[in-house]
Amino acid sequence: MMKKRTGNACLAKWHQAFWMIVVAVLTGVCTMDGYAAGKGEGGYVAMPSGVQCRMGDGRMRVEFVTPDIVRVRYTREADFLGNGTIVCLPRRDGKVAFRTAREQNALVLRSDSLEVRLDLRTFALGFKDARTGTVLLEENAARPREAERVYTEKVTYDRQSKRIVKTADGEKEVMDVLRRDTVGRTWKYRNHFRWREGEALYGLGCHLEDFMNLRGKRMYLCQHNLKEMVPVLNSTAGYGLLFDAGCAMVYSDDDGGSFVELEAAKEVDYYFMKGTSMDKVVERYRFLTGDCPMLPRYMFGYIQSKERYTSSQEIVDVVKEYRRRQVPLDVIVQDWNYWPGGQWGYMKMNRQYYPDPKALADSVHALDAKLMISIWPNPTNCPQTRDFASRGFMLERSVYDAFNPLARAHYWKYANDEFFSNGFDAWWCDCTEPLDADWRAMPEGYGWDNHAERWKGNAELLGDVLGAERASLFSLYHSKGLYENQRATTDRKRVVNLTRSSFAGQQRYSTITWNGDTHASWKSFAQQIPQGLNFMATGCPYWTVDIGSFFVRKGREWFRMGDFDKGVADLGYREYYTRMFQFGAFLPLFRSHGTDTPREIWRFGNPGEPFYESILKMIHLRYQLLPYNYSLAGRVSLEDYTMARLLAFDFPADTAVYDVKDEFMWGPAFLVCPVTHPMYYDKGSVELHGVDKTRAVYLPEGADWVDFWTGAAFKGGQVVEADAPIDRLPLFVRQGSIVPMGPVVQHTAEQAGQELRIVVYPGRDAAFTLYEDEGDNYDYEQGRYATIPMTWDDRKQTLTLGGRTGEFAGMQESRTFRVVLWDYEKRQVEEKTVRYAGKEIRCRF
């Protein structure tokens, strides 16, 4: 048998080599020894979709995945072993039509869209738009890539030192390291690039650094309570890069060089994605890594959370109070410590305080709300820990083995038995890093800006427990387990997973990422805006924050830096919370959460008082915008759209927007301008005097703008002073927009089928597609949803409601639309009511 297998293997290799030579000879790029002799240290051989190179120090493959996407692989191993991730979807690479040409010292591969130039002396790559000849990106010709052998270790912990430590992030199992044994080897790689002068780069995830445009910056990439790593870059030059490796990384564009460094990988594996816009780059990324499923409609309402509700009765009472006050609410959240005392992370509710999980879910549902539950990947000192360990499903430090499909299925069994089968609706997957090296008191001088030191410590800890080559992948596999197991259980309820960590590809598992346990300071608030915009620029569209920030008070740890020790009793904190609340109303998830102080609306004053009314006003606006927002979500799933958009997405020609950190687009219509400094009160309820209640707003060039609140019109390409009283977030609408709006309702399901206001902002032609479905379940995947195209002809002053496409259960065949047209000169609107029955209808003004 052994001889037979060996013979077959040899024969297969001979056939492969023979046909590679035949293809290469036919294309004129190969000599008969299998590798063409360049003037460099090696040669190349043609492949069906590209070329393979042999250099003195390694091998490289350059292959077309599509005419717009090229995969580049480089290894110092004897063969291409892959990095073993699930970042990209399995695919059968078909042959892409391309041509090859030999030029002086170079080989050129050209599809009908993209030209790749391979320097045969240095093996540096360059990427051009094949249609325009524009250079999009080049590797550094002097030093395109380098590698360093590194060794992997197995860490043996001292079991006698095992102890449970209480931290701000829960109870953690800690043991001393007994010894480190070298058990293997891997590589540290650097790939050097030459970015184009004037281009802006975005992406890489959500990080503590206060960066918008990443040019000239250095970013340390790993997973952490306050870092969510997604190794994707999106450029205004018309391309993106996806790095497929599971290790910690470094991005650099400073005096130390321009490169991406992989700390532990079998090979460099990156995808060059040509896109004519940043949206197109996102489309290419999702082609490789997966589409975004629809979130349920209720997730676009208001979500109330805090650390924490302590009983079933308190949860129900909070929902009842929202209903009594007629303040809209869709989701209530149960945070940690619902488990029996001393059994950290156990997916079992303490029956003393939560006597009947099903009755709790039923009670919340009876009030027309949904219930989200916090679950953890690191159960400690509880029956769940011992059960997983007995099955071989636990890693060190009491972390379950999310890389094992059997362990993921068993994790789901616990989640299903206690929660999902009892009617709980949504998951909050906390601590999916799943370990932090510095989430404790650190030596004096260690602070918020110790980025390199934090990266080093966390990359090492995660590498010790998970393995260096997959140190950043835990959340991706954990999310896969929840998504696939819930989908296998039922298709009647859409998966929702709010999680604290992320990675490339995770969007296909219905995840929403939030930025971790932030602290309440105006500086921190301002930094969170570019953090989220860079995260969503990667192609992972769903991101949010803890409105009000998690830590409100100051403490001894470096991350407890809150400025408001008295919480809601401090008028300075009430102003801070209100301004964050306005920002949160224009994020994919609208969620209040945090510790140290309560978060319900009535904690911020009484009806009729400024902070209460400002918060209520934003909740009402969120629900009025539900038809617009849910249609954007439809575009995310069906068209690879991005809802919250850094300004370069829509205005790439306006270089003035490249580093604007405190403005963004919400869909195609809204320019959102959060207020990130106090105007009324400093901390300690100290009243401020002489502070203008305005903020400077840059209105991007390439559009004209309308103040959402007043109807005043402005030319683009200028800075204006926008009024910003406490009840008003500076908010502008692009002229040439259509915004469908609904009535204020108490929860999202109430709005289905109701009369809509179709608000038209003239000045240019406009288009918008209204998307509707059942709001939950996966019937939309079988085409059971409806769209209504709307177009505005500015010259004819006519709105056309096109014929409806599609249908779904419960859809109303006939609808009433109230069409509203803004008159900017008079600062008033003209309205007409139309009855729509699915056929095209025109409304002329």
Side-chain angles (χ1 to χ4, degrees), residues 74 79 222 350 391 452 560 733 758 784 818:
Y74 168 76
D79 201 355
C222 70
N350 188 334
R391 299 169 186 269
R560 288 187 187 266
V733 185
I758 311 300
R784 289 194 279 277
R818 189 150 49 95

Side-chain angles (χ1 to χ4, degrees), residues 524-552:
S524 170
F525 174 22
Q527 291 175 342
Q528 291 177 53
I529 300 170
Q531 289 170 10
L533 294 174
N534 267 308
F535 179 90
M536 291 178 280
T538 63
C540 297
Y542 290 120
W543 180 89
T544 192
V545 299
D546 290 345
I547 292 176
S549 298
F550 187 76
F551 294 112
V552 174

Side-chain angles (χ1 to χ4, degrees), residues 605-672:
N606 298 310
E609 295 177 353
F611 296 120
Y612 184 102
E613 290 298 328
S614 298
I615 293 168
L616 182 62
K617 182 177 183 177
M618 296 313 296
I619 295 176
H620 283 173
L621 180 57
R622 177 74 174 200
Y623 280 80
Q624 289 174 302
L625 287 174
L626 179 62
Y628 176 82
N629 293 345
Y630 199 58
S631 296
L632 297 184
R635 288 190 66 184
V636 168
S637 293
L638 300 176
E639 302 176 19
D640 298 314
Y641 192 63
T642 301
M643 300 172 75
R645 310 160 61 78
L646 56 87
L647 296 181
F649 265 87
D650 294 278
F651 305 99
D654 185 359
T655 58
V657 309
Y658 283 4
D659 209 33
V660 173
K661 300 178 181 179
D662 59 353
E663 302 175 22
F664 61 96
M665 293 296 293
W666 179 244
F670 290 100
L671 177 66
V672 184

Side-chain angles (χ1 to χ4, degrees), residues 363-397:
S363 297
V364 171
H365 294 162
L367 294 166
D368 296 309
K370 306 293 185 182
L371 183 58
M372 175 182 279
I373 185 71
S374 169
I375 58 176
W376 293 66
N378 47 358
T380 303
N381 195 33
C382 68
Q384 185 178 334
T385 314
R386 293 186 286 275
D387 179 27
F388 272 66
S390 70
R391 299 169 186 269
F393 293 164
M394 292 297 283
L395 303 172
E396 295 288 2
R397 303 289 293 269

Side-chain angles (χ1 to χ4, degrees), residues 55 514 687 807:
M55 303 95 90
W514 96 100
E687 188 171 1
E807 60 182 357

Side-chain angles (χ1 to χ4, degrees), residues 158-171:
D158 181 1
R159 302 289 171 184
Q160 300 301 316
S161 69
K162 180 178 176 180
R163 57 201 182 273
I164 304 300
V165 176
K166 292 186 178 181
T167 75
D169 204 26
E171 296 180 7

Side-chain angles (χ1 to χ4, degrees), residues 32 112-113 145 158 165 174 202 336 430 436 473 495 505 571 628 658 676 690 705 759 771 786 827:
M32 288 304 293
D112 63 2
S113 175
R145 58 195 66 83
D158 181 1
V165 176
V174 176
Y202 306 100
W336 62 3
D430 212 334
D436 274 300
L473 296 176
V495 179
L571 295 179
Y628 176 82
Y658 283 4
T676 58
W705 300 92
V759 185
Y771 172 92
R827 296 198 187 183

